[in-house]
Each structure stands twice: as C-alpha cells, then as structure tokens.
Amino acid sequence: MSATFSDSTSAPNRPIQPDVGDTFDAGAPLDFSGASLFFPENFAGSTPRTDAPIDSPQSAAKAAALSDALCAKISPVSFGDRVFLLPTEADSWRSAVEMVRRYHRLVGRPKRRRFIVCVGASEGSESLPPGLEGDDEIIILRTDDHAALQAEVDGSTAGILIAPVRTRAGFEVVPGGVLVRLRETADEYGLMLGFDETFCGLGRSGMLWAHEWTGVTPDLMVAGHGPADASPLAALVVTQRLARGALGGSALADGAALLAGHTLVDALSTPGFQERVQNRSWYLEDQLSALFYRRRAAFTALDGLGLMQALTLTGDAEPMRAKLAEHGLLTRAMGSVLGLFPPLTVEESDIDAAVSCIEMICAQEER
C-alpha cells in the first residue's frame, strides 16, 4: 500500500524526470478508468464468444456445465467452499443477503435480518452495493469507529458488509486493523462478515483478492467481471456453513460471460501472471510518487494499493479528468480524487505515457 503524503514528508530518492511540456503523443486511447481488467491487444483470447445464445435446453445445459467448471476454478483460489455465479452484481448482493437471512432462520435466529454496511465517510446512498437499495433492514454506517459499530449491533443484526478498498463514492484503502476488528466483532456476536471485492478483487490489488493483504477472511465475498465484449458476470463466494442458506433456481449467467470468466481465471492462474501484476503495480506507484513530488502544487496526497492508485487534487478532479480524456487518457474522477486503475495487462510504456499525459496537463495549468 502506498503512503498518503503530507507537505512535511521529504521526497524519496528517485530520479526526477524533466517536464514534458506539450510533447505527449496520446496515440490510441489508454483506459486507466478501471472499466476493463485487460487491454484486449495485450491479452490474446480476451474476446471469447459462445456459438449460440442460451435459448434452448442444449445450450442451457452447456452453460450450466461452463458455470460448474468455472465455480470449480474459483473455489480453490479463494477462501470459499461454494461459489455461485449470477448475471449481475445486484443479483449477487440480493442472493448474499437472503442467504445470510435464511441461514440465521435455519439455525434458530429468525430475527437476525439487519445488515450494517460500513462505508466510512462516504456520502450518499450510492455507497450501497447495487441491489440493496430500498431494503429498510440495511443500515449505512459512515464511520469506521469500532465503538460506533458495536453500538449498532443488536439481536436483529445478521451481518456486516464492507469493501476492503472503497471506490463507490470516493477512494479509500481500508486499514487492515479495521477489518481485523470487524472479524472479531462478527465472531463475538455470531454475525456474517461480507467483503465487496467487485472492483478491488481479481488481481487489481496485486494479489488475487484485496483482503489477502490483511490476512482477514470473510464469510462471503462478491466479485465481478464486466468485459466490454460480453455480458457482466458476478461471483458470490461463501463458506460451507453459510451455503446452508442457499436457495436453488438462481438465474443462469450468459454463456459469453461464462467463457470470459474462464479466460480471466485461467489468466490469473497462469504461473508468473500475478507476479507480473505486482511488478507493474510497484512501477505505477513509483512513477506516480515521483510525479506527486514534482507537482506538489497540483496534488495533496497519493494513496493506493496495487493497480488502484489515486491522486488527490486541491479541488474537483473532474476538470482534470476531462482534459486527460481529450488527450487520450481515460481516468476516473471521484470528488477531489483522480483514480488511475489500469488493466492487469498494462505495460510499463503505458504507465509512462499516462504519467507523461498527467504531467503535461499539470504543466499547462501552471502557466
């Protein structure tokens, strides 16, 4: 995890690169917005297709077999004993919540239906995972204070949900100590702890799952994959104990999405792939750290984990995001934070080009 730098922090011993002025050549657009886990041109086979839509018993059976096979690939590389694949992230969250509630009913605790969603200081209902809007038994907690969390826990509480890296209404890497205390609270009160890894999972953190950096294991996790050329796919990963609350008859995921999921998991499981991602993560962090120190007038902090890095600006990040997009670099604006979330297949040359583009915009604004 990279540090959050303050004005009193001394610069690291890194070579200082000269200003690039207006020399940046955008070329093909670079997508550092987090929209894709792969650059298609850097990863052969990232555009899988099925030979027919799932509209017949034969194709449905084929999709079911693909789904079972993909679940069998995900389970061994996660904490989970069972994996459920669903068409959308919203479907996964609704299934997760109902699974937990049903589990509590089965073990004689039918009143346990409330969920506490820890969103930190984020504002607005957009901090909730999709699919949970309108559920009046979902409580939003806007602080990570442990005493405040325990004050919310009562005899009707079923579980606690949190994203190890928050990206819904801002950007924040949740400290490992917070997750440790949540695990302890869940164990003490018999609650289920769920992690939202729809964005930070599947390798973006430099490890396969972001929570692996902390050593804290959840009872459930939702991860997602939304390739540009196939329907989205979401995975609900749970322990065997929690799987007792599962219901049958869930919607079958799209065949193309399942094939894309196989391609992704196969790539993540390829020897050396995760090591390569970590190396690219360190390179991105180093280049952004050097940029941060060169352009202290533009940025107040740098934070991140793996291929999820965020520069905090002195004002709204949207104007800079728009200018970068005009020059072929796609990023994400989250309030005062400019997020840079390149695909797992990013090259060092792509990172150099992105940093040069940001440098160019900073130089123009300082004139």
Side-chain angles (χ1 to χ4, degrees):
M1 184 187 307
S2 56
T4 300
F5 301 109
S6 64
D7 289 338
S8 61
T9 307
S10 60
N13 185 22
R14 293 187 177 92
I16 302 300
Q17 297 178 0
D19 293 350
V20 296
D22 296 319
T23 62
F24 175 76
D25 181 10
L30 281 177
D31 192 347
F32 277 45
S33 70
S36 175
L37 280 168
F38 288 119
F39 278 141
E41 63 271 21
N42 290 354
F43 183 68
S46 64
T47 56
R49 296 290 184 184
T50 52
D51 52 4
I54 302 173
D55 56 3
S56 68
Q58 182 178 5
S59 56
K62 181 178 179 180
L66 282 171
S67 180
D68 290 344
L70 182 53
C71 290
K73 289 180 179 180
I74 295 174
S75 182
V77 295
S78 72
F79 69 90
D81 302 300
R82 295 283 303 278
V83 180
F84 302 86
L85 299 174
L86 295 106
T88 68
E89 183 184 347
D91 290 327
S92 285
W93 281 115
R94 284 191 291 265
S95 295
V97 165
E98 290 310 313
M99 188 182 297
V100 173
R101 288 170 175 167
R102 180 174 169 79
Y103 166 79
H104 283 300
R105 289 199 302 271
L106 290 173
V107 297
R109 300 191 291 256
K111 293 183 179 179
R112 293 201 173 190
R113 295 182 54 82
R114 292 174 67 247
F115 283 82
I116 301 171
V117 182
C118 302
V119 301
S122 301
E123 297 293 336
S125 60
E126 70 273 10
S127 299
L128 277 176
L132 303 186
E133 307 90 341
D135 188 328
D136 58 7
E137 293 175 304
I138 302 291
I139 307 300
I140 298 177
L141 185 65
R142 303 190 189 281
T143 176
D144 289 324
D145 179 72
H146 190 56
L149 170 73
Q150 289 191 312
E152 286 287 350
V153 176
D154 59 23
S156 66
T157 305
I160 303 169
L161 305 179
I162 190 170
V165 181
R166 294 175 174 135
T167 58
R168 295 193 183 277
F171 183 89
E172 180 185 6
V173 179
V174 178
V178 171
L179 301 184
V180 168
R181 289 190 293 272
L182 291 182
R183 180 71 271 175
E184 292 172 347
T185 299
D187 292 341
E188 179 180 357
Y189 293 98
L191 312 178
M192 293 295 173
L193 177 62
F195 286 167
D196 179 358
E197 294 222 14
T198 52
F199 186 81
C200 62
L202 295 170
R204 284 197 193 275
S205 72
M207 297 186 73
L208 188 56
W209 311 111
H211 69 266
E212 291 179 311
W213 288 104
T214 68
V216 179
T217 303
D219 301 294
L220 71 92
M221 173 181 70
V222 173
H225 180 39
D229 50 4
S231 300
L233 180 68
L236 171 58
V237 183
V238 301
T239 61
Q240 186 62 45
R241 178 177 65 140
L242 180 54
R244 292 174 58 190
L247 289 173
S250 60
L252 194 62
D254 177 77
L258 290 169
L259 283 176
H262 276 277
T263 301
L264 172 61
V265 175
D266 288 345
L268 293 172
S269 303
T270 300
F273 188 88
Q274 282 297 309
E275 181 181 359
R276 180 188 184 280
V277 172
Q278 285 193 2
N279 288 335
R280 294 295 185 271
S281 300
W282 294 328
Y283 187 79
L284 174 63
E285 184 177 344
D286 283 347
Q287 295 304 103
L288 289 177
S289 295
L291 171 70
F292 174 79
Y293 283 107
R294 292 197 299 271
R295 299 296 179 181
R296 297 298 294 272
F299 307 114
T300 61
L302 168 65
D303 196 16
L305 182 66
L307 291 178
M308 299 176 289
Q309 297 292 323
L311 289 161
T312 301
L313 281 68
T314 55
D316 186 6
E318 175 57 28
M320 177 170 283
R321 184 212 62 80
K323 291 178 182 178
L324 292 172
E326 290 176 1
H327 288 84
L329 176 62
L330 306 181
T331 57
R332 184 186 298 187
M334 300 171 288
S336 62
V337 173
L338 182 73
L340 292 101
F341 312 127
L344 304 183
T345 50
V346 67
E347 301 287 353
E348 289 186 359
S349 58
D350 299 324
I351 293 172
D352 291 339
V355 171
S356 294
C357 187
I358 299 171
E359 183 102 64
M360 180 186 69
I361 297 301
C362 290
Q364 291 175 351
E365 293 183 347
E366 289 177 4
R367 291 173 185 169

